[in-house]
Amino acid sequence: MFREISLYTNGLDEGQRVQLARALDHFHDAQQTLRLVEKGHKDLPLVAGCVDVGAAFQNFEGWSPSVVITGSPLSDNWFTHTESGCGLMTLADWEVAFLAEPQGLPVAAPDANILTSISLVTLMVLGQLGDWDVLHEKSIGCLFDLCIQKPERALKMRAAYVCSSCTAKLAMNGVSSVEIDAINAALDRVRHLVLGRRPQTTLPAVLDDEKFLNDARLPEGMRIPPQLLEACRTRSLSVLVGSGLSLQSDVRVKYEAPLQWSKLPFWSEVPSRMAESLNRYRGKTENPRITDSLDEFLADLDFFRESLGDALYYPRAILDIFTPHIVNAGLANRLLFRLPLRSLLTTNYDFVLQCAAPPGTPVYTWQEARPAREFLVGGVGRRSVVKIHGCASRSNTVVLTRVEYERLAQQQEYLSLVRSVFEHHTVLFVGFGLNDPRDLDHVLRQARLAGAAEGEKFALLPEQRCSEVRDKFPQIQVIPYSEHDQISKILATLVAAS
Ligand SMILES: [Zn+2]
């Protein structure tokens, strides 16, 4: 079921029409909730070649909900206005948003700019909000930043998210979480476009996993702890997914030229991929050193982050490394969404789980820890994905280097999210420690830091890793497997139990 919003156009030239058509395609491909339906041309009052904003809004009475898109500049030099369920936006003068960009105009800059305005105006129209009800005067990267300094608009496009206070305001004004999620899906495209990347427009083919679920048997001698089966039956299980699940043999990804990679990286491969990025973007050659400790390893990543430039090439490198197009999300990832989980948390930055999830699954990062926690409590029947170490398409949320880990450890909302999951749910770790225990280590340390009570915890682990993990984390019950494809069989058994 779509929610329809009327769309009128005014004074668009040929080029603007083409740009708008592309942006609308992105908006409609990104989500299946909101539809802007073209209703034809609308006359607008002009003053000195600009749309007279005040007079225009007097004409809009009784049109709600609708959006009018003009090719002329607005009389007060703004990009958008909304009032009482009607929105007005201009496609003119968008280049000023990119004046401060060191690289000049990204290829898809006009599309990103229009998609940003459409997302903003649509949300405000749905919430019947006026400009001054929500817009932030100080830029924080939220879609609702006013951006008095026009070049700040490029920053807003790169961060492109709806902050938790705006999300709360929208909810209070009757905008549903499904509608907010739809706009978040559109913003995901904005972030790709503004960095000159083509967002993934087609989802992996839907595969029928029923036969596997029916036929799957546990390997000889393997036993699932009864408390874990019970947690499935009573729907009190949460799963924490690590990088191993994005590296399963049936997960297929495709990097675009000039990137030569064919798989997502192991944790240990990230520094060398950063080094490749540094060479590609800045022509510098820096080989990653062999590190002895986690601290050294994370400090090295900080070095690459700084060398690439925090706001310059680091976001591009993160996007390059962690957002290949997902061709097949893999059986194990898909089976996770067949479990009646309380919550699904992941430390992965990539899009594999999102591609395995049913359409419309809300996705949060640690930056939206508060709405994520509210969703865990209230969102019965719908499952979200919480990317606790951030999402690659929003590099300012990614927690990968030492500085980023330190910053995360200060986030109270995030800590209380982790604490509430660890205290109240039975937790199963999947895909952690397949090649390196550090990611698992971090999550457990953070949970302890958050003062979480030691609830029941289980981990699916390769046999050779079990004794080390038992020694290090006696509170975790390990379930050993000998082949990676056994993970899917174990998950199938859990699905059957529930
Ligand atoms: Zn905001």
Side-chain angles (χ1 to χ4, degrees):
M1 264 303 274
F2 293 119
R3 176 141 182 209
E4 285 193 4
I5 296 153
S6 304
L7 170 70
Y8 299 90
T9 55
N10 165 276
L12 300 182
D13 64 29
E14 201 49 45
Q16 288 170 329
R17 278 203 177 281
V18 174
Q19 287 168 2
L20 178 60
R22 276 201 311 258
L24 285 174
D25 282 348
H26 279 301
F27 186 73
H28 292 141
D29 287 347
Q31 45 82 35
Q32 275 75 49
T33 305
L34 302 167
R35 276 287 171 277
L36 287 166
V37 182
E38 290 206 57
K39 295 283 171 77
H41 171 85
K42 198 80 209 166
D43 283 327
L44 292 174
L46 292 176
V47 51
C50 299
V51 172
D52 184 337
V53 173
F57 271 90
Q58 284 170 6
N59 279 346
F60 292 164
E61 225 166 293
W63 283 29
S64 166
S66 65
V67 174
V68 185
I69 301 184
T70 175
S72 309
L74 305 187
S75 55
D76 57 5
N77 224 3
W78 284 38
F79 283 118
T80 66
H81 276 290
T82 46
E83 208 178 288
S84 312
C86 289
L88 172 65
M89 56 178 267
T90 176
L91 304 191
D93 297 337
W94 56 269
E95 294 90 344
V96 299
F98 298 93
L99 283 182
E101 290 297 279
Q103 297 308 298
L105 287 175
V107 195
D111 307 33
N113 186 61
I114 297 170
L115 195 52
T116 304
S117 291
I118 288 177
S119 303
L120 171 66
V121 168
T122 302
L123 265 187
M124 291 180 65
V125 161
L126 291 176
Q128 299 270 323
L129 291 156
D131 298 319
W132 297 109
D133 296 333
V134 274
L135 294 182
H136 300 284
E137 289 191 51
K138 187 170 174 289
S139 289
I140 58 167
C142 172
L143 176 65
F144 292 87
D145 287 353
L146 177 56
C147 302
I148 298 174
Q149 301 295 328
K150 291 282 163 56
E152 286 178 0
R153 201 172 153 85
L155 300 179
K156 151 158 129 176
M157 284 184 243
R158 265 203 238 121
Y161 80 114
V162 182
C163 80
S164 49
S165 100
C166 290
T167 303
K169 253 182 226 170
L170 290 162
M172 258 164 37
N173 275 269
V175 184
S176 73
S177 61
V178 179
E179 288 161 348
I180 298 172
D181 295 338
I183 295 295
N184 277 320
L187 293 178
D188 200 44
R189 296 212 169 193
V190 169
R191 296 191 297 268
H192 276 82
L193 290 169
V194 86
L195 289 177
R197 299 293 183 277
R198 211 156 45 85
Q200 178 156 358
T201 49
T202 48
L203 283 174
V206 178
L207 300 173
D208 183 7
D209 299 326
E210 294 307 324
K211 186 168 167 21
F212 180 87
L213 277 170
N214 288 333
D215 297 349
R217 297 283 172 273
L218 278 183
E220 186 97 17
M222 185 182 280
R223 201 182 134 271
I224 306 289
Q227 311 95 301
L228 181 55
L229 295 171
E230 182 61 19
C232 291
R233 273 190 286 271
T234 56
R235 296 169 181 254
S236 59
L237 183 69
S238 283
V239 169
L240 200 49
V241 178
S243 58
L245 233 53
S246 293
L247 292 163
Q248 292 271 295
S249 59
D250 61 344
V251 174
R252 299 246 185 283
V253 302
K254 189 167 168 285
Y255 286 90
E256 302 229 338
L259 305 172
Q260 307 263 312
W261 306 312
S262 58
K263 277 182 90 68
L264 282 156
F266 285 99
W267 173 242
S268 55
E269 290 168 344
V270 176
S272 63
R273 292 212 182 174
M274 287 279 187
E276 283 180 57
S277 303
L278 185 59
N279 188 270
R280 185 176 320 113
Y281 288 117
R282 307 214 99 153
K284 287 190 200 165
T285 305
E286 293 281 359
N287 292 320
R289 54 183 179 152
I290 294 163
T291 52
D292 292 330
S293 68
L294 175 63
D295 270 351
E296 270 178 34
F297 182 86
L298 294 177
D300 255 25
L301 291 172
D302 269 325
F303 166 81
F304 282 112
R305 179 189 149 133
E306 271 168 37
S307 306
L308 280 158
D310 217 8
L312 197 56
Y313 295 117
Y314 179 68
R316 283 158 216 253
I318 292 288
L319 206 66
D320 288 347
I321 297 169
F322 294 107
T323 65
H325 287 205
I326 313 295
V327 182
N328 185 343
L331 181 60
N333 286 292
R334 292 194 301 273
L335 291 184
L336 285 173
F337 291 94
R338 305 293 291 265
L339 285 168
L341 299 179
R342 286 289 298 278
S343 62
L344 200 158
L345 276 59
T346 180
T347 50
N348 298 347
Y349 322 106
D350 61 61
F351 281 74
V352 175
L353 271 175
Q354 271 144 286
C355 285
T361 301
V363 179
Y364 301 100
T365 72
W366 61 267
Q367 225 171 49
E368 299 82 48
R370 191 168 50 163
R373 189 151 65 99
E374 286 163 3
F375 192 92
L376 290 190
V377 176
V380 181
R382 284 184 81 214
R383 193 184 306 100
S384 58
V385 173
V386 187
K387 300 177 97 167
I388 57 175
H389 285 175
C391 178
S393 78
R394 291 167 58 195
S395 68
N396 61 333
T397 65
V398 165
V399 180
L400 175 67
T401 74
R402 189 170 61 183
V403 169
E404 291 163 348
Y405 272 108
E406 283 166 3
R407 185 177 61 180
L408 185 67
Q410 307 300 317
Q411 299 294 326
Q412 292 309 318
E413 295 279 6
Y414 162 74
L415 293 176
S416 71
L417 169 72
V418 173
R419 184 167 54 218
S420 81
V421 170
F422 276 64
E423 268 180 9
H424 302 299
H425 307 182
T426 300
V427 177
L428 173 67
F429 294 92
V430 187
F432 279 92
L434 297 181
N435 66 323
D436 196 306
R438 288 179 281 216
D439 41 9
L440 172 65
D441 221 12
H442 263 287
V443 174
L444 284 168
R445 216 187 300 155
Q446 277 156 23
R448 220 173 280 156
L449 202 72
E454 297 290 346
E456 284 195 293
K457 295 190 188 69
F458 302 89
L460 305 186
L461 283 172
E463 272 166 358
Q464 65 273 23
R465 296 262 317 114
C466 286
S467 67
E468 191 189 328
V469 171
R470 276 196 195 101
D471 288 346
K472 211 161 157 190
F473 305 109
Q475 75 272 36
I476 295 182
Q477 286 199 51
V478 299
I479 304 161
Y481 59 81
S482 52
E483 309 282 339
H484 287 334
D485 71 350
Q486 292 177 354
I487 292 179
S488 298
K489 292 181 180 160
I490 296 168
L491 292 176
T493 309
L494 296 182
V495 172
S498 49

